[in-house]
Amino acid sequence: MGLKYRTEYRTDRKVTWCPGCGDFGVLDALCDAFSRTGLDPAQTVLVTGNGCSSMIGFFVKTYAMHGLHGRALPMAWGVKLANPSLKVIVAGGDGDAFAVGAGHLVHIARRNPDLTYLIMDNGCYGLTRGQPSPTARRQIMAGENGVGQPINPVALLITAGATFVAQGYSEDPKSLRLLIQEALNHRGFAVVNILSSCPTFNRQDEASLNRPEFLYIETTSHPVHDRLEALRLAMTEEDRPRVGVFYRKKRGVPDERPKGAGSEDRRDDLTRLGEMMDELRP
Amino acid sequence: MSMLNFMKASMKRGDPVIRIAGEGGQGVVTVGELLDKAVAQIGLHVLTESTFTPEIKGGDVMFQLTASPVPIPSQGDRLDILVALNDRGYRANKGNLVPGSVLIYDHEDTRPEGLDGVILYSIPMSDISRSLGSPLLKNMVALGAVAQLFSIPMNGLQEQIRKRFSKKDPFVLRTNLGAFEAGFTYAGEQIQKQDLYYLITPGEKRDDLLLMNGNEAIGLGALIAGCRFYAYYPITPATTIGDWLTSRLPEVGGAIIQAEDPIESASLAIGVSYAGTKAMIGTSGPGLDLMQECIGYAGMAEIPIVIVDVQRVGPGNGIATQCEQSDLLAAAFGSHGDLPKIVLAATDVRDCLDLTIEAFNLAEHYQVPVILLSDASLSRRRQTIPRPRLPEIRIIPRTRYDPAPSSYARYQVTRDGISPMSLPGQSGGEYIATSLEHAETCSLGDGPQGHTIMTDKRFRKLDALEEDFLPLEREGPARAEVGIISWGATQGAVREAVQRFRQIGADVAALYPKLLWPLPVKALETFAASVNKVVVVEANKQGQLAGMIRACTRLEPHRIQTYNGVPITAWDIFGKEGLL
Ligand code: SF4
């Protein structure tokens, strides 16, 4: 059964983020989306990686796994494979998604399991005191030192095969909540890359994010089912970040277990096991 | 080798060791597997060994069959009959021929020389094969000759050939059967039998034997244990576990994923097990290294998983198809931090099945990662094992949380360290699994003191393991001069060596542990106290088990080690200078 108020989804654990951290906005929007979608905490699993943003699982009253840095996606898919009736949400930072976990991200995207993935993208590793991550905008300046140019998360996800790709902003909780709700309602791999801030360590990107104007994607004119158009939009260089749904497509999800989801030790199928042993008779 | 020659007494022998050798593409393994099935079908025990170099085509290949009315401990160090499908097969194996043994070859490609006392039968395999329209039928001609010369039931072999080729073009079946029959007839008419080998017919016919290789046994054991998820990244020699499970897991409601790397496979398994389904992953050495972070996570977050490591020659890419017992240290100590985990090692194909079931029982009961070690030789070894009696097999489930009015503490500090586990879907049992050090309620920040309490709790789970786990087998007199300790497939060779020692009246005992970590210290020390000299036998350079024993007990074992890529033989032990 879902809970009525978003505050009911919060545990009473003390939130440990720095004041002004973008992750607060994501936590609020997520709980709000949970209550509006009516998610039953017992039937919901929030799987995270490791890092500042991955602490979010401690603050939400669902089942949760605080996983390993970069491994949240396969762990979450494992949960879903074992029990397809669960709602499985993955959350973590940009280091999780695009650095140590980049391999998993690409392959989970092309497989399209029914997972919702929230990336809290603040361009840095906050927990280890602010080293640039693969999405650090400031890398444009550091490019000549071999750091390279930043990843374009939306373009990467569209090409890899994600079937719902959106971008949100942590300081715009209402539109973020709506995007999360849309992602939760999508069947398949749905990703919201959330531009977020780390006021403690990433002042450069923080400044660029703090400008109030965003470019909102026109839902009426953007052909959201057209992959090439979505990619074009994602690759178009603009002075302000775009927010909204870039791409949405229906595509099959991997086979789910036909039966026995989350079951007890089952010793049924004895007949089938007997037949398998018959096949091994010389 | 004089001792061996001596033991090759000139009497009839009903349990021949037959080796077929040639190169990749000649169908060596195909005929080997027809032969082992036909032999097992009459109720004899069989044990096969096959080796090949890693090339897909054109490398050296050999397949060896041992047959016996009683269970066979190892591939042995005897060779009675060598079937050389070409000169290369002859050259690679002629060193194993001794007076009285048999060489079957084709004069067209092979000219045996300097084989004193070896009985030679030349069969025009190429010629017969070509006359039937294909140069690729030599293996079948050879099989026919073997059947004729050593009284292997012809109808059994014909039945196996029919089964093997029934799904193919009828022409293929016909030519293969034809080649088999031609070889049979030729040997009957043209070869004067001079050797003393034949295949015994067992006194009582057993029809409860199954024939499979070690990796298939691991797959079957997992299914019996209730495992419903397997993930793997292809790696020799572990891949065939996944091959076997691919069609079978879904049939019992399970899922199998070929992952994008070993780390993904381990992460998937952790998620699956967290949600309540028993999960296993399989790999070989390099993959085990990649999984270590996940293994540490599972230990800290207390999520049961079973990891199978089919060892091969390492480090690095090593020799992928050859065997070594060199992953023990990586298995026992590989992950960082203070981590409770269990390491088991399989001795033979039957053990591959039994210990996989036991690995699940231990993982689920103690909520720890369990690593099962097998090796490249067991992965390919086909061996007869008694058919498991499913209803009698003990399956231990994990301790589940029973929703109570009081709030749930996932990592509750209990007397035995085992904390009831809630599964997603269960209302009132919501919790966060985490590998950050945590308090009973999963909260963080209890500081160093909390870490001490929780580390002790996690390790307390294994306090009674040595008593709870299968008793160790000890062989030999209650007091002995020499006591041999070994692990994994090496135990088979030790069993044979001990038999020989006892035949010559030597005072030797042996201990056969299957639990390797935590080390069964009490059993090891009790055993050591009953012998004057402890010797550890293993197939690695460092003496990995010997080193662990030195570190954890007061013992200073002597060592016998090989690391030549092939299984240790009884002769490596029996023939060792200065052992007695
Ligand atoms: S370091 Fe940055 S990302 Fe981490 S909690 Fe503080 S503000 Fe947030």
Side-chain angles (χ1 to χ4, degrees), chain A residues 16-24 51-53 122 124-130 196-202:
Chain A
T16 43
W17 293 315
C18 307
C21 175
D23 297 340
F24 282 101
C52 288
S53 55
N122 62 12
C124 77
Y125 297 93
L127 202 60
T128 49
R129 308 187 71 81
S196 181
S197 57
C198 172
T200 310
F201 292 114
N202 193 359

Side-chain angles (χ1 to χ4, degrees), chain A residues 13 40-46 48 50 55 57-58 61-69 71 73-79 81-83 86 103-104 107-108 110-111 257-270 272-282, chain B residues 37 40-41 160 207 209-212 220 223 228-229 244 248 251-253 255 257-261 263-264 267-268 270-272 274-278 293-294 297 303 387-388 390 393 395 397 400 422-427 429-436 441-444:
Chain A
R13 290 200 179 94
D40 180 351
Q43 299 289 340
T44 306
V45 185
L46 177 59
T48 70
N50 192 19
M55 298 306 289
F58 285 92
K61 225 187 250 171
T62 61
Y63 275 91
M65 278 186 103
H66 177 255
L68 283 167
H69 195 42
R71 316 296 169 211
L73 280 175
M75 285 188 186
W77 188 27
V79 174
L81 280 165
N83 189 347
L86 297 171
H104 301 309
H107 292 289
I108 293 282
R110 76 188 172 82
R111 290 185 195 256
R257 286 182 54 191
K259 58 176 170 169
S263 69
E264 298 293 296
D265 284 299
R266 292 172 308 122
R267 303 212 41 221
D268 56 349
D269 297 309
L270 283 190
R272 184 58 202 116
L273 282 173
E275 287 163 13
M276 284 180 200
M277 291 198 282
D278 288 343
E279 290 163 23
L280 292 165
R281 287 170 62 163
Chain B
K37 280 189 196 153
Q41 212 177 16
Q160 296 298 347
D207 58 2
L209 292 179
L210 303 181
L211 177 63
M212 67 189 89
L220 180 60
L223 295 185
R228 292 298 178 266
F229 182 79
W244 193 83
R248 291 170 178 88
E251 287 179 21
V252 289
I257 300 286
Q258 182 192 310
E260 261 54 70
D261 62 53
I263 303 173
E264 189 184 69
S267 308
L268 282 164
I270 287 171
V272 165
Y274 166 83
T277 297
K278 292 183 184 178
E293 184 195 27
C294 283
Y297 178 88
I303 296 173
R387 184 185 178 111
L390 298 182
I393 292 172
I395 303 291
R400 288 277 309 276
S422 167
L423 302 184
Q426 199 174 359
S427 190
E430 294 88 348
Y431 77 99
I432 180 165
T434 180
S435 72
L436 283 173
T441 56
C442 313
S443 294
L444 310 176

Side-chain angles (χ1 to χ4, degrees), chain A residues 3 6-7 21 62 104 121 131 139 152 207 223 272:
Chain A
L3 305 175
R6 66 177 168 183
T7 48
C21 175
T62 61
H104 301 309
D121 173 8
Q131 299 79 3
Q139 284 182 15
N152 180 331
R272 184 58 202 116

